[in-house]
Amino acid sequence: MDKIYSNSEIMKGVLEGLISDADKKKMEESSSFISIWRSILYSIKSVVNPNSGSNMFFHSRVIDIKDTTLVLEVDHSGFIQLFETHKKYILRGLEMKVPQLNIKNISYKLDKKNDYNTQRNLTREEMAKCIMDESKKEDTLIQFSGENKEYPAELEVIFSRMKKSILTNNK
């Protein structure tokens, strides 16, 4: 036992054995592209939000480059609007720093699992619970145009969700 090896030194040797030279080159190219991408986005400044470029970077992810289109995944629909606002600037920066990629357009994919503005569908269990809660109420009448109409419990649940959504989204 001449030398004590750290975990990182052991893992480095294992990883170098697993990764071929071609894979290393691809990793280096993608790493350099991501650093260029980051520098372009970080250079975007706004009067309203001086950190808008860094926010754009942290809320997006480069997925692929297909033909002449850069494919981005964003976690909120508002960031698509920001990217569209700064699209010419971003494309000009990419053209200057990585002309060999010949990127002419940006396409977006919205990551639905993090989009908190999209109302999700109820699960069966949630719907059953809501139906049971609604059926416990004696008065399930809704008045439209002066008439009392009784609706199925499923519709009552949907109407109550719509009412809550309307009341909570008007800020």
Side-chain angles (χ1 to χ4, degrees):
M1 261 177 81
D2 296 341
K3 186 177 178 185
I4 298 174
Y5 294 97
S6 69
N7 286 340
S8 61
E9 290 174 323
I10 295 170
M11 289 305 295
K12 180 181 176 187
V14 171
L15 288 175
E16 285 178 351
L18 292 174
I19 299 173
S20 68
D21 288 337
D23 291 336
K24 286 179 187 176
K25 185 172 174 134
K26 286 180 184 177
M27 286 174 43
E28 288 171 1
E29 287 173 355
S30 71
S31 176
S32 66
F33 177 78
I34 295 300
S35 65
I36 290 169
W37 175 248
R38 180 180 181 196
S39 69
I40 291 170
L41 290 184
Y42 270 54
S43 67
I44 296 173
K45 304 293 181 207
S46 170
V47 175
V48 178
N49 183 3
N51 297 326
S52 62
S54 62
N55 289 339
M56 290 167 66
F57 177 77
F58 286 114
H59 290 275
S60 65
R61 184 169 65 101
V62 176
I63 295 176
D64 198 2
I65 300 172
K66 292 185 180 181
D67 297 325
T68 61
T69 302
L70 176 72
V71 182
L72 286 180
E73 181 178 62
V74 295
D75 62 5
H76 191 278
S77 57
F79 286 102
I80 294 174
Q81 196 67 31
L82 277 174
F83 276 103
E84 281 296 306
T85 302
H86 300 287
K87 186 176 185 174
K88 285 184 182 178
Y89 178 84
I90 294 168
L91 291 174
R92 192 175 317 122
L94 289 170
E95 184 181 342
M96 289 170 52
K97 296 195 178 200
V98 280
Q100 66 274 18
L101 294 177
N102 196 27
I103 298 172
K104 301 289 183 200
N105 197 11
I106 301 174
S107 179
Y108 309 98
K109 178 181 182 274
L110 183 61
D111 184 11
K112 293 276 187 180
K113 69 179 180 215
N114 290 328
D115 187 12
Y116 301 109
N117 288 339
T118 307
Q119 189 174 16
R120 67 175 178 82
N121 293 331
L122 291 174
T123 63
R124 289 181 186 212
E125 293 81 19
E126 291 171 330
M127 181 63 89
K129 182 182 181 310
C130 290
I131 291 171
M132 292 301 290
D133 292 344
E134 290 295 322
S135 66
K136 289 178 185 176
K137 295 180 183 177
E138 294 177 2
D139 185 20
T140 58
L141 299 177
I142 298 179
Q143 291 186 346
F144 287 104
S145 67
E147 298 178 19
N148 287 340
K149 294 183 180 179
E150 190 169 330
Y151 291 96
E154 293 91 356
L155 286 177
E156 292 291 333
V157 171
I158 293 169
F159 287 146
S160 67
R161 280 188 78 193
M162 286 174 55
K163 182 179 177 182
K164 287 177 187 175
S165 172
I166 290 169
L167 293 175
T168 58
N169 286 338
N170 284 336
K171 294 182 179 177

